[in-house]
Amino acid sequence: MEVKLGFGAVPKPQYVFVSREADHCWYMLAEDEKRIPIYEKALTGVITGIEVNKKVENTFGPDEKINLFILADKPYIIQSGNDTYFSKSLLLSLDALTSEQLRHPLTIAVSPGDKKVVFCNIYDPVTYRSVGVSWDGHREIYWQTIGQKVSLKVLIAQTDRYLAQLNWTPEQGRDYLQRKYGRRSRLQLTDTEILEFIDYLKLQLTQNCPT
């Protein structure tokens, strides 16, 4: 993204919240906490992370949310309740995607359902195809497990992007993991270790950038 010099807004991610209203399904908050409706139904960008079972405090007390991090014209964080249809359809869609697909821009779209229900649909912005998911047996799904699986897949896709930018071969990556962690696969790393690996790759990219 281009860095604009001079006075401007504080450079922090923009939170986006999900809510089924008469003419929109998500919104932002102004500094005075007033809701700003978002009438567009889709946000296209690169998914850079996801937090599942994120504990937050709101006016009703403690709650658990899902935060989806997307880099578009600026960083966005889509936040929705853990047990909402939006979050569940988001996890089902992300679980259906490959790590290769997660490396590229995707379109996150809201789809209004009955009453207060909002579903999430993910599209490929190049082919316009949606990610097909099945709700069969969704009541028996252990959502915490699928959330952990999706979180790891998103992290792997993030390392794939950085490794490609660094022009590292798979063997170079395995050699580094072996030296640093005594493992040959990113799938064997703990969450802390893979985040540390991502920070290392980002540092290498920064150091390799021409001044």
Side-chain angles (χ1 to χ4, degrees), residues 15-19 25-29 38 77-80:
Y15 273 86
V16 174
F17 304 94
V18 180
S19 177
C25 287
W26 46 22
Y27 63 93
M28 298 180 290
L29 289 178
I38 301 174
I77 302 174
I78 299 176
Q79 185 175 96
S80 58

Side-chain angles (χ1 to χ4, degrees), residues 152-204:
L152 178 59
K153 186 184 295 186
V154 170
L155 289 174
I156 293 295
Q158 192 172 359
T159 61
D160 283 340
R161 283 193 296 271
Y162 292 143
L163 290 168
Q165 292 176 52
L166 287 167
N167 293 317
W168 277 28
T169 65
E171 190 58 34
Q172 282 178 288
R174 286 191 289 268
D175 286 345
Y176 176 82
L177 295 181
Q178 182 65 48
R179 293 196 310 271
K180 180 69 176 179
Y181 304 107
R183 301 176 182 86
R184 297 277 291 175
S185 170
R186 290 168 294 176
L187 297 175
Q188 297 172 335
L189 300 179
T190 65
D191 289 348
T192 300
E193 289 170 342
I194 197 166
L195 288 172
E196 185 181 82
F197 183 43
I198 288 172
D199 287 340
Y200 172 77
L201 295 176
K202 289 165 66 175
L203 178 61
Q204 299 308 300

Side-chain angles (χ1 to χ4, degrees), residues 111-137:
S111 177
D114 295 335
K115 298 180 181 178
K116 289 294 183 180
V117 172
V118 179
F119 293 98
C120 172
N121 292 320
I122 296 183
Y123 294 82
D124 182 326
V126 176
T127 65
Y128 287 21
R129 293 180 179 176
S130 65
V131 178
V133 297
S134 172
W135 282 87
D136 293 342

Side-chain angles (χ1 to χ4, degrees), residues 28-90:
M28 298 180 290
L29 289 178
E31 291 186 3
D32 60 0
E33 299 297 311
K34 182 179 179 180
R35 289 191 177 192
I36 304 174
I38 301 174
Y39 297 106
E40 290 85 357
K41 292 185 177 181
L43 172 63
T44 299
V46 176
I47 294 174
T48 58
I50 186 170
E51 292 177 333
V52 181
N53 302 321
K54 176 72 173 179
K55 292 180 174 56
V56 300
E57 289 285 339
N58 56 35
T59 55
F60 302 103
D63 198 2
E64 290 189 343
K65 303 286 187 180
I66 284 182
N67 286 338
L68 183 71
F69 297 79
I70 299 180
L71 183 60
D73 56 319
K74 62 181 178 181
Y76 291 91
I77 302 174
I78 299 176
Q79 185 175 96
S80 58
N82 251 22
D83 293 327
T84 62
Y85 280 98
F86 180 89
S87 289
K88 291 178 178 179
S89 50
L90 170 67

Side-chain angles (χ1 to χ4, degrees), residues 1-5 73:
M1 294 185 298
E2 181 183 355
V3 176
K4 295 182 179 179
L5 304 181
D73 56 319

